Amino acid sequence: MTRSISLTINGTKRTDTVEPRLLLIHYLREVAGLTGPHIGCETSLCGACTVHVDGKAIKSCTMFAVQADGSKVLTIEGLASGDKLDPMQEAFWNEHGLQCGFCTPGMIMTAKQILERNPSPSDAEIREGFHGNICRCTGYQHIVNAVRSLAAKA
Amino acid sequence: MATTTTKTETLVGKRIRRREDPRLITGTATYVDDIQMPGLQHACIVRSPHGAAKIKSINIKPALEFPGVAAIFTGKDTEKVGPVPCGASLPGLRVPHHHILAIDRVYFVGHPVAVVVASDRYIARDAAEAIEVDYEPLPAVSDPEKALAPGAPAVHPEWPDNTAFNYHQDGGDIDKAFAEAEVIVKQRITSQRLIPAAMETRGVVAQWLAGDRALTLHTSTQVPHLVRTLVAQMLGLEENRLRVITPEVGGGFGSKLNVYAEEALMGFVAMKIGKPVKWIESRRENFTSTIHGRGHVDYYEVAAKKDGTLLGIKLKLIQDLGAYHQLLTPVIPTLSVLMMPGLYKCQNIRADIVGVFTNAVPTDAYRGAGRPEATHGIERMMDVLAAELKMDPVEIRKKNFIANDAFPFHTATGLMYDSGNYAAPLDKVLETVGYKKLREEQKQARADGRLMGIGLSTYGEICAIGPSPATPAGGWESATVKIEPSGKVTVMTGCSPHGQGEETTFAQIAGDELGVGIDDVLVVHGDTAIVQYGIGTFGSRGTAIGGTAMYFAIQELKEKIKKYGALLLDSDDVTFANGVCTDNKTGKSVPLAQIAAASYRAMKLPPNTEPGLVATYFWEPPNFTFPFGAHIVITEVDRETGDIAIKRYVAVDDCGNILNPLIVEGQVHGGVVQGLGQALWEQAVYDDSGQLITGEMMDYALPKASYIPWIETSHTITPSPVNPLGVKGVGEAGTIGCSPAMVNSVVDALSPLGVRHIDMPMTPEKIWNLIQAAGGRA
C-alpha cells in the first residue's frame, strides 16, 4: 500500500510515492536525498531532525511523510543561497556554536524559529527555546551566543 | 609558543573560527548514516531483553518469510569470528570469551543475539520482531556491591565470586601515616554509571569486494586504525585487505574509543552476502549496548594532622565492569589510582581495586575515564577533612598543594607531574567571585534561613595519553606533512577527531611553522587507506601528541626546504622563515611554492636529498601532561522543593599554551556541562533483574540548555615542558573539575543541617529527603 504525496522542499516541488508509515525524516534523507537533518533519538526528544513544515519547526522523526503532503518543507540545505550563508549559519560559525556538528542542523532550524517568534529574546528565553534540542558537545553557551549575536541586531 | 617563524601575523593563539564548520552548518557533511551505495542492505540486530537468560532456541523461520529479507545470522553462524578484544592486561585478569553474537546465554540487556539483513530498514525491523527467541530467564545482579556478596547470582557461572580482578598499589608508608594520624576521616563516595550518549549513535557501513578481496568499513569511531587491526584479526582477514573510513563522527566522549561486536559483525555479513550492508544503532541500542562510563563505589580513608596536613590516603575501589571487558574496561579504574593524590604532596597511598562482573553493558572510557572519579574522591575528601577540622576549604588545599618549585614532581602513585602552579587558578577564581565577601554573605544567608553553598574543586588530570609503556595500544601519534608542488600543504594526522577542531588548530600550527595562510593547509584524517598508522583522539591527546607529531614532521621538512632553497639561491647560508628561503649574505629569497616545484621537478637535487617535500613523523611522548585548574560554584538550595539553583559558575583552567581560545572555551563549556550532568541529573539505572530502567532519552536526564548556568571561563598558563608546543590538553578538564565543585557546593549549603556528603546525582528528591531527615524546615 503506497500513497502519492506532493510537497515543496526548499523551494522545489516534488511528488513521490511512499508507504504511509514512512517517517518524514526517512523521506527527506533517503527519498529526497537531504541528509542534513539527522536522526538522534527517534522519539522527538533530541531535535537533531528538526525541519520547518509550513513555517513551524517540527521533529521530522515523529511525523509521517504523508502528513507533510501539500506542505512547504524547509531543511538546513535550504537556508544558504549559493555561497551566501543564512545569518544564523554564519552566527553558529562565528560563535563556535558547534563541535561534532550532529545536532547542528536541528539547532539552527530551531534557532531561526526562536528569533522568528521573539526577535529580542533574553538569554533565558533563548535557552527555553532550545528545550527540544539536545547538544552533548558545546554546553550550549556558544549556541546561546550565536542566537544572541543576531538578537542584538534585531 | 614554540613557533619559530617571525611572521607578524601568527595564527596560533587567535580566536579563529573553525575550518570544518562550513560543511556542518550547511548539512552537507557525511556521517555514516548518510552513506548510500547501490544494493545497500540494512541490518537490524535482535538483542536480549533479559539481564541474564539461557537461550533455549531461536526460530528465524517467520522472519525469513518477509519479502526483502536477504539473510539472518545467529550466534552459531558467527561462532568462529574472533572475540571482541580487550586491550588490557592486568595480573590474574579473568577475561570472558566475548562472542560477537550470544550463543547459548545472554549476559545483559542489549546483548546481541541475531542480525536480520533486508533491503530496507523498515523490513529489517519488522523481520527482527518476528524472530522467536525462547529464553529461560536467570537470576541477575547489576549492583556491584550486591554482586560481591556471598550467594549472589554468578554473572559468569565459571566465576561465582563475580570478581574479574584484584589490583593493589602501595606508595610510601601508608601504615606509618595512619599510625601517626591525629585525625582520620572516612567516606563512601560513588561515581554512578553514566551513559555517554553521543548525539550520533554508532553506525557501520560494510562493503566487501570479493574480486579484490577488499573489505571497507565506514564506522563512527575515535580509533580507525585500531579498529582495522583488531577487526581484521576477528574476521581472520589480512589487515591490508581491510580499509576503515571514519567519516564525520557525531561525538564520542570515549564511547567510540572501542572496537565493537557490530563492527566485526557487519564485516562478516558483507562478506557472507556479497552486498554492502548498513547498521545504524537506534538510541535504545545506544543506551543498552554502547559502553557506559564511571560505575565506582569508593571507600576513602584519609589520615591527617590537626593542622590539615595530609598524611595518607586509602582507597578501596569497587569497579562495576558490566558483563564483559570492552577494549579498556579493566584499565579505567587503574587511572583513578594514578590520580588519587590530586594536586597534593601526600606521599603515602594504598589502593585496592576489585573489578566486578555485573549483568550490565560493560563500562569503559567516558570523558575523563578514571580521572573524574579520582578527582571527585580526593576533592570531596578535602572538604570532608576541612569540615572535620573546621578549616576553610581554601586553606586546607593551599596547605597541601605541591609547591611551585617542586616540579617535576614524583607522586606516590608513580607519576611525574610535568609543571604546575596550583595556587594561581585557585587565587584567580577566589578573586573573581570575591571569596571573603561571599563567605560573609553566606553567614547572613544562613542567619536568614537560606541554604547558600560555596563549593570548590582544585583538580588535576592526566592528559596527552600517553607514553606507550603506559597505554594498552601504543601512546604515540603520527603525522605526514606534504608540501605539494604548488606549495599547498597537506597534513595527514593519525589522530582522527570528532568535534575537537583539529582541522583548524593543526592548520594554525602548520601555517605558522611554514609561513603559509591557514587556507593553504588541508588537514586529512580518518581513512586508513590514506593516512599512515595512527592511534586516535581520546585522553586529551589530539594536539599535545598528534599536533606535536605534525610539528616534528614540519621541522624535518624545513631542513629539506633549506637544502632546496640553498640550491636555488646558489648559497650555503640560508634561513627559512615566513614562507621564504633567504640567502643570509645577499638577501635574495625564494618562496616556498617555487622551492616545492623545484623539489618535485628534480632537475637538480641537493646532496643526499630525495625529490619531493614529504615527511612522516611518529612521535613518542616522554611523559603525560598534567593540566590543572580551579572551579567554584555558588548555589542556593530550595528548602521546600530540594531544587538546586546555580547562582554562579567560575572555571579557571590551566591547560598550558592555548592555540585557539574559541575552541578551548568550547571544550571547557562542554566538559563542565557533562560534569553538571553527572552531578545533578544523569544516572544509568538497572533494576534487580538487570533491566535498564533508563533505556531512552525520556528516562535518562541529559542536560538541556535551560538547565545550565552561565559558565565564566578564564585561564592561567603554565606551559608543559613535555612537548615543544607547550600544550597540555583540555578536552576533559571541565568534566573533571566540575562534579566535585558542584557537590561540595551543595554539601556546603546543607552543612548547617549536619549533611557531610551527598552522592550523585543530586536530584531534588534526594536533596528534599536529606532536608526532611535533618528536621525539615527547622
Side-chain angles (χ1 to χ4, degrees):
Chain A
M1 187 181 67
T2 54
R3 264 186 58 182
S4 174
I5 58 170
S6 295
L7 27 66
T8 305
I9 306 174
N10 300 333
T12 304
K13 195 165 178 186
R14 61 179 293 154
T15 300
D16 290 289
T17 303
V18 300
E19 274 194 66
R21 67 170 179 171
L22 184 70
L23 293 170
L24 180 58
I25 183 68
H26 287 139
Y27 170 76
L28 292 172
R29 290 176 50 82
E30 289 171 14
V31 181
L34 297 167
T35 55
H38 296 138
I39 305 169
C41 71
E42 301 178 304
T43 50
S44 75
L45 287 160
C46 83
C49 65
T50 304
V51 299
H52 290 188
V53 174
D54 293 331
K56 280 188 182 168
I58 61 102
K59 309 283 179 69
S60 62
C61 76
T62 33
M63 182 172 186
F64 293 114
V66 292
Q67 290 175 291
D69 189 12
S71 297
K72 286 197 171 82
V73 177
L74 181 66
T75 74
I76 188 75
E77 289 95 335
L79 293 190
S81 47
D83 285 345
K84 193 168 162 37
L85 294 172
D86 181 273
M88 190 60 78
Q89 291 172 312
E90 195 82 37
F92 268 66
W93 191 8
N94 291 337
E95 300 294 335
H96 189 28
L98 61 148
Q99 289 178 26
C100 84
F102 195 79
C103 75
T104 309
M107 283 284 174
I108 289 176
M109 298 312 286
T110 299
K112 285 185 67 68
Q113 174 151 316
I114 290 171
L115 287 191
E116 279 162 17
R117 291 182 173 174
N118 179 0
S120 50
S122 65
D123 280 3
E125 287 168 333
I126 295 171
R127 287 176 184 269
E128 197 52 46
F130 284 115
H131 200 70
N133 292 73
I134 295 174
C135 170
R136 194 60 159 161
C137 291
T138 63
Y140 302 104
Q141 195 151 314
H142 282 161
I143 293 175
V144 174
N145 284 351
V147 179
R148 189 205 260 170
S149 74
L150 295 184
K153 292 171 200 162
Chain B
M1 198 46 248
T3 52
T4 55
T5 65
T6 52
K7 258 195 328 182
T8 49
E9 189 67 10
T10 55
L11 299 165
V12 162
K14 295 268 172 10
R15 285 176 81 87
I16 293 172
R17 62 182 189 172
R18 296 196 318 172
R19 305 177 66 241
E20 36 276 88
D21 286 358
R23 64 178 187 262
L24 298 167
I25 55 177
T26 53
T28 52
T30 303
Y31 297 85
V32 172
D33 197 15
D34 302 338
I35 295 167
Q36 292 293 345
M37 288 179 186
L40 184 69
Q41 303 291 301
H42 296 262
C44 179
I45 295 173
V46 177
R47 295 179 185 274
S48 169
H50 299 290
K54 279 185 187 160
I55 299 173
K56 292 167 74 178
S57 65
I58 302 176
N59 182 11
I60 63 169
K61 275 187 198 139
L64 282 170
E65 286 165 13
F66 280 77
V69 169
I72 296 173
F73 301 100
T74 67
K76 289 198 171 72
D77 302 310
T78 58
E79 201 168 4
K80 287 189 179 144
V81 175
V84 178
C86 169
S89 55
L90 294 173
L93 180 68
R94 290 167 169 172
V95 182
H97 192 94
H98 187 174
H99 290 288
I100 62 168
L101 291 175
I103 296 177
D104 49 13
R105 191 175 165 123
V106 288
Y107 295 86
F108 63 97
V109 167
H111 199 159
V113 169
V115 58
V116 178
V117 188
S119 56
D120 166 287
R121 72 174 83 204
Y122 286 61
I123 296 170
R125 282 197 186 187
D126 285 344
E129 287 286 315
I131 290 182
E132 293 163 359
V133 185
D134 188 7
Y135 293 103
E136 179 188 327
L138 297 166
V141 63
S142 54
D143 177 312
E145 288 192 291
K146 286 182 185 168
L148 287 176
V155 175
H156 297 280
E158 61 270 40
W159 301 311
D161 62 2
N162 289 323
T163 300
F165 67 93
N166 285 286
Y167 174 91
H168 176 84
Q169 191 172 337
D170 260 1
D173 189 341
I174 191 74
D175 293 323
K176 182 162 171 278
F178 273 74
E180 290 173 356
E182 293 168 353
V183 57
I184 293 173
V185 287
K186 302 180 183 183
Q187 184 62 51
R188 177 183 186 271
I189 298 173
T190 61
S191 279
Q192 75 273 30
R193 245 186 198 261
L194 299 173
I195 300 178
M199 292 314 297
E200 183 206 28
T201 59
R202 289 186 293 128
V204 185
V205 172
Q207 185 183 33
W208 171 244
L209 299 176
D212 295 335
R213 209 179 150 62
L215 180 67
T216 302
L217 283 188
H218 302 256
T219 182
S220 183
T221 185
Q222 298 172 229
V223 286
H225 282 94
L226 295 185
V227 169
R228 176 178 179 236
T229 299
L230 295 169
V231 169
Q233 277 175 21
M234 292 166 79
L235 294 173
L237 183 68
E238 308 89 294
E239 187 175 3
N240 55 6
R241 299 288 174 166
L242 177 56
R243 174 182 184 184
V244 173
I245 299 174
T246 305
E248 212 72 59
V249 173
F253 315 113
S255 72
K256 295 172 182 172
L257 160 54
N258 228 308
V259 176
Y260 282 101
E262 294 87 350
E263 290 171 318
L265 181 60
M266 289 308 118
F268 172 89
V269 168
M271 290 167 80
K272 282 284 176 198
I273 68 174
K275 287 181 185 172
V277 61
K278 178 191 279 187
W279 168 72
I280 300 297
E281 188 182 51
S282 71
R283 182 54 66 182
R284 181 164 176 81
E285 286 181 289
N286 179 257
F287 277 25
T288 58
S289 315
T290 291
I291 62 102
H292 289 175
R294 317 281 192 265
H296 269 220
V297 181
D298 295 332
Y299 289 87
Y300 274 94
E301 289 184 45
V302 167
K305 289 194 206 167
K306 276 187 180 156
D307 68 358
T309 305
L310 282 182
L311 296 174
I313 308 163
K314 285 186 196 172
L315 168 62
K316 186 187 167 199
L317 192 169
I318 299 169
Q319 173 70 52
D320 175 359
L321 300 168
Y324 288 110
H325 305 309
Q326 279 281 348
L327 191 63
L328 302 173
T329 302
V331 177
I332 306 302
T334 67
L335 292 172
S336 302
V337 171
L338 290 179
M339 205 67 237
M340 258 176 81
L343 303 185
Y344 310 111
K345 57 194 167 198
C346 176
Q347 286 289 5
N348 306 301
I349 64 110
R350 172 169 293 158
D352 287 284
I353 305 175
V354 52
V356 186
F357 289 123
T358 56
N359 291 110
V361 73
T363 53
D364 204 319
Y366 168 59
R367 203 167 193 167
R371 290 100 82 213
E373 298 90 317
T375 304
H376 196 76
I378 187 65
E379 287 304 294
R380 277 271 51 243
M381 290 311 291
M382 293 306 279
D383 268 30
V384 169
L385 181 62
E388 180 76 20
L389 296 172
K390 298 190 167 48
M391 284 178 75
D392 187 280
V394 173
E395 188 192 348
I396 200 162
R397 284 172 168 80
K398 286 196 168 175
K399 190 169 197 68
N400 288 288
F401 275 159
I402 296 161
N404 289 356
D405 59 5
F407 294 93
F409 180 83
H410 292 269
T411 72
T413 56
L415 298 173
M416 191 181 80
Y417 289 176
D418 57 345
S419 60
N421 178 1
Y422 297 157
L426 177 56
D427 287 337
K428 198 164 177 179
V429 291
L430 297 177
E431 192 190 337
T432 305
V433 298
Y435 184 70
K436 276 189 183 158
K437 193 159 162 272
L438 209 54
R439 284 290 179 199
E440 292 302 317
E441 277 176 41
Q442 185 183 37
K443 271 185 199 160
Q444 187 55 50
R446 284 176 178 171
D448 298 342
R450 286 159 49 216
L451 299 171
M452 174 181 168
I454 304 166
L456 265 176
S457 79
T458 48
Y459 75 91
E461 52 169 334
I462 309 168
C463 284
I465 291 175
S468 296
T471 312
W476 46 267
E477 196 47 86
S478 69
T480 295
V481 180
K482 304 192 286 185
I483 299 172
E484 312 289 2
S486 61
K488 299 289 179 189
V489 180
T490 305
V491 173
M492 295 184 291
T493 173
C495 226
S496 186
H498 42 286
Q500 292 84 354
E502 288 169 16
E503 291 176 34
T504 305
T505 48
F506 282 29
Q508 289 177 262
I509 299 168
D512 279 356
E513 288 295 318
L514 292 167
V516 299
I518 195 165
D519 291 330
D520 295 322
V521 184
L522 180 70
V523 180
V524 177
H525 54 81
D527 183 341
T528 63
I530 296 176
V531 178
Q532 71 292 337
Y533 207 97
I535 302 296
T537 299
F538 56 87
S540 300
R541 71 194 303 279
T543 309
I545 307 185
T548 300
M550 178 188 70
Y551 173 87
F552 281 120
I554 292 172
Q555 303 317 308
E556 285 192 356
L557 274 182
K558 281 182 179 176
E559 289 308 309
K560 204 168 174 186
I561 289 166
K562 281 198 273 184
K563 285 185 188 175
Y564 276 101
L567 186 73
L568 292 176
L569 291 164
D570 196 18
S571 164
D572 56 5
D573 181 15
V574 297
T575 51
F576 176 69
N578 301 329
V580 291
C581 219
T582 308
D583 185 333
N584 289 332
K585 289 174 191 150
T586 65
K588 276 189 192 165
S589 66
V590 56
L592 180 60
Q594 203 178 321
I595 294 169
S599 78
Y600 286 95
R601 182 64 188 83
M603 290 294 284
K604 271 172 79 183
L605 296 179
N608 305 316
T609 305
E610 298 164 0
L613 287 178
V614 180
T616 298
Y617 203 97
F618 281 54
W619 189 59
E620 171 65 32
N623 191 4
F624 301 106
T625 62
F626 297 89
F628 54 93
H631 290 202
I632 194 163
V633 194
I634 300 152
T635 56
E636 187 158 338
V637 175
D638 186 325
R639 278 176 187 269
E640 305 292 335
T641 63
D643 193 44
I644 298 161
I646 300 172
K647 299 293 187 187
R648 202 162 175 196
Y649 195 111
V650 181
V652 177
D653 298 282
D654 192 321
C655 57
N657 287 332
I658 292 175
L659 304 183
N660 186 328
L662 188 62
I663 288 176
V664 167
E665 251 172 45
Q667 291 294 315
V668 173
H669 293 160
V672 165
V673 170
Q674 286 189 4
L676 289 175
Q678 171 164 23
L680 294 168
W681 307 294
E682 295 180 37
Q683 181 169 24
V685 181
Y686 284 91
D687 71 10
D688 285 340
S689 71
Q691 189 57 244
L692 181 64
I693 302 300
T694 53
E696 288 282 359
M697 280 190 179
M698 189 72 87
D699 310 306
Y700 186 84
L702 291 166
K704 293 191 171 189
S706 59
Y707 306 170
I708 305 300
W710 195 255
I711 300 159
E712 300 169 47
T713 59
S714 64
H715 299 273
T716 58
I717 292 176
T718 308
S720 174
V722 174
N723 60 67
L725 304 175
V727 298
K728 290 197 168 187
V730 73
E732 295 155 298
T735 309
I736 292 169
C738 174
S739 75
M742 192 61 224
V743 175
N744 285 343
S745 186
V746 178
V747 170
D748 187 48
L750 299 187
S751 62
L753 306 176
V755 172
R756 198 176 85 146
H757 176 71
I758 306 169
D759 272 324
M760 303 179 287
M762 300 186 294
T763 57
E765 181 207 9
K766 191 181 281 177
I767 301 302
W768 186 84
N769 277 316
L770 280 171
I771 294 169
Q772 297 307 305
R777 305 163 61 84

